[in-house]
Amino acid sequence: MPEKLLPGRTQAMDTYAPQFDYMTAFSRNIGWVTEAEQQILRLKKVAVAGLGGVGGSHALTLARLGLGHFHLADFDRFDLANMNRQAGAFVSTIDARKCAVISSMVSDINPEAQITDFPKGVTDGSIEAFLKDVDLFVDGLDFFVLDIRRKLFARAYEMGIPAITAAPLGLGVAWITFMPGKMSFEQYFRLESLPLNRQYVNFMIGLAPKALHKAALVDPSRVDFAAKAGPSTNMACQMASAVVGTEAVKILLKRGTVKAAPYYHQFSPYRGRFTTGRTFGGNAHPVRRIKSLLAARWLEKIAPKTAPTADSVSENAPVLLSILDLARWAPSGDNEQPWRFEILGKDKLRIHLNYQPGRNVYEYADGRPIWLAAGGLLETMDIAASQYGFTCHYSMETPEDGGTPSILVSFFQNTRPTDPLVHFVKTRSVNRWPYRQQPLDAKEKALLEQAAGKELTIQWFETHAERWAITRLNMMATRLRLGIVECHGIHKNAVNFKSQHAQFGLPASAIGLDPLTVRIMRWANAEWWRTKLLNRYLGGAIAASLQLDITPGMKAGAHFILRWRDDKPDRPLEDWIRVGRQMQRFWLTAESLGLSLQPSFAPVIFAHGAGQQRIWRERRTAEKAKRIGERLESLFGCSADAVVFPGRIGRARALPQSRSTRLPLDEMILKG
């Protein structure tokens, strides 16, 4: 009979319990265990501390193995953030006690199981009761819970109880078993007298000294020891429980070889690798000490400095403000965000665009980048509005003095579904680092071509020769823009050397240069004479081009141009705004396919500026720009006027840890 009626037990379960037959329920275990061994497991008692990420899975795995006695401990309740990995997390169990839910699930597997709950978790005062008469202690505690973990392992060791810790690491698992008379938990991990952050590091290094899991980590900033937070997956939790179940068979049935500490084990199906090894002295070994120091520095380096995608309005904000808060993530040249919003009512606003002719040589063709960006903003607004059952309509307003037009936007309710691209508005960013050379498949291309719309077409440049031809064109543009004073002032204002997540402009660490080059660039960027000196005597522009153009240019899935189907000059602004919307859909579609993208507008900019001597201080600048334009037309088979969006695309090797963010919405709304 159960020691007590379990929370969550239903009348149906109690009615069914007398019909339960243990040997029939666990008959499929027989063959891997004998009938006698199954009966032995029926009598064994296991203590599982922590019933969340791995602990709940441990308890259920051991229940299905046929163990008949459980001590289960957890003080926490399930919440929505547990849904990705925790065995007891369901919509129906949100805010339910983990201890009660897992106890009920264990009982539902084996109604005969005798279960003692510890709903306050394991405390200093309950360690003895938790470990009393236990045959195996299983560690399911959160990674960052070290104090009570150390006490549990220490007392289990004193009581001669085998203990297992199995950590879900990324897309794999690492585990260590501690057996009576062998190396203890403290002797292996060496946590005594260390600061808490170093204890975390030593625990991590001890679990996975080979660090097989790092290859699968695409966003290291999510590992935040200071905030006691880190990513975890369901697959890793299930693998950890599979390991615990297998080790339990060996320990409880005294079968096979248990490689206890100082042996460590790690399996990474992502890399297709398994490693097991033995480090005498555990973390006291000199090599482990060095690894611990290096890991501490790495964790300090990757620690998040800001929250780059934080909302700037509350959940209860008016719908229009919520739409704008997402729309502000639309792309713009150098993250200039050349727009401000004038709120005209609950469903109407005016977009004021900041364009000053002649101010910025990068705003080629009478501010074309501004109008493309405005189109991207409008498309992002429409995508954001779809979440709330609205769509947006816009019209151009040209002032009487012939100044910069503004855009009047109105929102109307409709019944269309939420646009699936809404989920990628904030994650979309420029990745300037090398990509994998894996080509795009036919389905990906078809979806991108569909996103481009009927007025535009995509030209792909995929062969080695084509990638090299585009790379050489970009090199010409890079060497020119880094070597002329007209661009120096723009770079000086746009590049941010102080932050990894710049609200305005570009973080220097996101440009695609190594840290040493960034430091040199910071010195040179401060004064034009320094840039000239660097270019003339140290080959600054050539060295930068190697990192900015050659390596990333050759390491990409493809280069592309998004272009008009018909090649004609002097299109009205409305046309460029319209295709700016398609450009944003193209980019967001690429993001939704897991593809990274980097625009390459510099050749187009110089091709347009080739004949405009008035904007260049030196005649040879116009001559170089002309050569860039000629090569562009030869390579693309069209004029620069037909090019809407040039760039490279592919699968990123890693997620950049630095990116442009956006100004808070409050700063974008005109007051009064």
Side-chain angles (χ1 to χ4, degrees):
M1 293 293 293
E3 293 180 19
K4 65 186 183 64
L5 184 62
L6 300 174
R9 282 283 294 273
T10 65
Q11 184 62 40
M13 289 166 56
D14 292 330
T15 302
Y16 182 71
Q19 302 172 19
F20 179 82
D21 179 76
Y22 178 88
M23 287 307 294
T24 301
F26 302 106
S27 60
R28 295 298 292 270
N29 291 339
I30 308 304
W32 300 109
V33 299
T34 67
E35 290 190 14
E37 286 175 330
Q38 187 66 65
Q39 294 292 352
I40 292 171
L41 292 173
R42 188 177 189 175
L43 300 176
K44 295 297 183 181
K45 180 182 287 187
V46 63
V48 182
L51 301 171
V54 286
S57 295
H58 292 340
L60 300 185
T61 295
L62 295 171
R64 294 192 187 280
L65 186 58
L67 271 71
H69 303 263
F70 293 83
H71 285 182
L72 301 177
D74 201 307
F75 64 86
D76 203 4
R77 295 175 181 269
F78 286 110
D79 62 37
L80 194 58
N82 303 148
M83 209 63 68
N84 79 309
R85 67 200 183 283
Q86 298 196 12
F90 302 92
V91 172
S92 60
T93 62
I94 288 177
D95 204 38
R97 288 192 175 277
K98 293 182 179 180
C99 204
V101 170
I102 297 301
S103 292
S104 180
M105 294 175 76
V106 169
S107 184
D108 212 3
I109 293 168
N110 179 6
E112 295 180 356
Q114 296 186 15
I115 307 170
T116 301
D117 288 347
F118 291 77
K120 295 182 180 180
V122 182
T123 64
D124 289 344
S126 64
I127 289 177
E128 293 296 323
F130 182 69
L131 294 176
K132 183 180 179 181
D133 299 327
V134 162
D135 298 295
L136 175 66
F137 164 54
V138 176
D139 174 17
L141 295 169
D142 184 275
F143 176 90
F144 297 97
V145 178
L146 290 182
D147 183 55
I148 198 68
R149 173 183 275 117
R150 291 173 62 194
K151 292 175 181 178
L152 276 167
F153 273 96
R155 186 61 183 135
Y157 190 76
E158 291 170 356
M159 296 170 72
I161 300 171
I164 309 169
T165 185
L169 292 180
L171 302 177
V173 58
W175 72 96
I176 300 175
T177 303
F178 296 91
M179 296 294 289
K182 302 289 185 179
M183 180 175 276
S184 71
F185 182 92
E186 182 58 41
Q187 289 170 337
Y188 180 81
F189 284 107
R190 303 284 175 165
L191 306 182
E192 184 69 36
S193 73
L194 289 176
L196 188 57
N197 269 6
R198 285 303 304 275
Q199 288 186 36
Y200 295 149
V201 172
N202 265 29
F203 189 42
M204 180 181 70
I205 291 298
L207 284 168
K210 297 295 185 181
L212 299 184
H213 54 289
K214 280 184 66 177
L217 184 63
V218 295
D219 187 357
S221 69
R222 300 291 178 169
V223 181
D224 188 355
F225 276 18
K228 297 183 180 180
S232 185
T233 68
N234 175 52
M235 299 84 73
C237 290
Q238 292 190 63
M239 276 184 267
S241 296
V243 165
V244 164
T246 304
E247 290 287 274
V249 166
K250 293 194 290 184
I251 292 168
L252 298 176
L253 299 178
K254 295 181 170 53
R255 282 176 43 184
T257 301
V258 177
K259 291 187 174 181
Y263 278 96
Y264 59 87
H265 320 273
Q266 188 174 9
F267 174 51
S268 171
Y270 182 82
R271 295 185 62 184
R273 285 190 59 188
F274 169 73
T275 183
T276 185
R278 177 173 55 177
T279 305
F280 292 103
N283 282 346
H285 193 281
V287 173
R288 286 280 187 90
R289 291 181 179 181
I290 294 171
K291 286 185 177 182
S292 180
L293 289 171
L294 293 175
R297 291 181 182 178
W298 178 74
L299 288 165
E300 183 179 348
K301 180 180 178 182
I302 66 171
K305 307 298 189 296
T306 62
T309 60
D311 294 332
S312 61
V313 300
S314 70
E315 291 183 4
N316 298 321
V319 169
L320 182 58
L321 293 184
S322 298
I323 291 171
L324 291 180
D325 196 47
L326 186 58
R328 69 191 171 99
W329 289 89
S332 57
D334 291 338
N335 193 33
E336 189 179 14
Q337 302 160 73
W339 40 65
R340 294 296 180 266
F341 307 122
E342 179 187 359
I343 305 298
L344 302 176
K346 66 177 183 179
D347 56 5
K348 187 176 294 187
L349 63 92
R350 180 176 287 113
I351 302 171
H352 294 270
L353 298 169
N354 180 22
Y355 171 56
Q356 301 170 26
R359 177 198 60 170
N360 185 336
V361 296
Y362 285 164
E363 292 172 358
Y364 64 93
D366 296 323
R368 186 168 299 167
I370 301 290
W371 315 121
L372 287 170
L377 174 67
L378 288 167
E379 184 62 26
T380 311
M381 273 188 193
D382 198 47
I383 291 170
S386 71
Q387 296 181 101
Y388 306 97
F390 285 87
T391 188
C392 74
H393 296 250
Y394 69 94
S395 59
M396 303 291 294
E397 296 182 323
T398 304
E400 294 181 359
D401 61 5
T404 303
S406 57
I407 305 175
L408 184 66
V409 183
S410 300
F411 294 87
F412 299 91
Q413 284 190 312
N414 66 8
T415 57
R416 67 173 180 157
T418 297
D419 193 315
L421 295 180
V422 72
H423 308 297
F424 302 97
V425 169
K426 288 185 181 179
T427 63
R428 180 220 57 80
S429 186
V430 177
N431 185 338
R432 298 174 177 85
W433 299 96
Y435 306 155
R436 302 185 187 279
Q437 291 178 260
Q438 177 184 354
L440 277 64
D441 61 38
K443 183 177 180 180
E444 289 169 337
K445 287 184 178 180
L447 289 170
L448 289 169
E449 287 162 3
Q450 180 182 345
K454 295 180 180 179
E455 293 183 285
L456 303 178
T457 187
I458 306 173
Q459 284 181 230
W460 300 103
F461 302 87
E462 301 174 275
T463 68
H464 181 86
E466 288 171 338
R467 289 202 303 271
W468 176 238
I470 299 286
T471 297
R472 289 182 62 196
L473 177 65
N474 288 330
M475 288 170 60
M476 292 173 65
T478 294
R479 292 177 64 178
L480 181 54
R481 65 191 174 96
L482 294 182
I484 58 176
V485 69
E486 292 87 349
C487 293
H488 175 264
I490 299 166
H491 300 160
K492 184 176 179 179
N493 292 327
V495 181
N496 187 319
F497 291 93
K498 297 180 180 179
S499 174
Q500 282 189 304
H501 304 291
Q503 290 186 338
F504 184 86
L506 311 175
S509 51
I511 288 175
L513 299 171
D514 62 52
L516 175 60
T517 307
V518 168
R519 287 195 288 270
I520 295 171
M521 178 184 173
R522 182 173 190 171
W523 173 83
N525 215 39
E527 301 290 344
W528 170 236
W529 67 265
R530 295 180 183 178
T531 298
K532 286 199 300 182
L533 180 70
L534 184 66
N535 288 337
R536 180 171 297 179
Y537 297 107
L538 298 176
I542 297 174
S545 183
L546 174 64
Q547 296 182 58
L548 295 176
D549 300 311
I550 298 177
T551 303
M554 297 307 294
K555 292 186 177 180
H559 290 261
F560 68 89
I561 60 166
L562 195 62
R563 54 160 292 186
W564 289 97
R565 291 184 181 275
D566 55 336
D567 188 348
K568 66 179 183 180
D570 302 324
R571 295 179 186 273
L573 295 182
E574 289 84 349
D575 285 4
W576 292 103
I577 290 175
R578 189 170 63 253
V579 296
R581 298 189 67 170
Q582 296 306 131
M583 186 178 80
Q584 174 68 335
R585 289 202 71 83
F586 171 85
W587 201 338
L588 290 174
T589 300
E591 180 75 8
S592 74
L593 295 171
L595 298 168
S596 291
L597 194 150
Q598 179 187 5
S600 304
F601 276 103
V604 179
I605 292 166
F606 287 118
H608 275 280
Q612 302 178 43
Q613 181 58 51
R614 59 182 176 80
I615 68 172
W616 312 116
R617 293 195 183 183
E618 299 182 13
R619 186 180 65 182
R620 62 180 182 174
T621 301
E623 294 171 351
K624 292 178 180 179
K626 182 179 179 181
R627 287 198 290 272
I628 291 173
E630 290 170 346
R631 179 163 292 185
L632 180 149
E633 293 187 2
S634 173
L635 185 57
F636 293 168
C638 65
S639 72
D641 263 317
V643 179
V644 174
F645 188 28
R648 68 184 181 101
I649 192 168
R651 299 197 176 276
R653 294 175 177 271
L655 187 70
Q657 298 308 299
S658 179
R659 63 164 295 184
S660 298
T661 60
R662 298 295 183 271
L663 294 169
L665 180 60
D666 186 60
E667 294 184 27
M668 294 186 173
I669 296 177
L670 298 174
K671 306 300 190 294

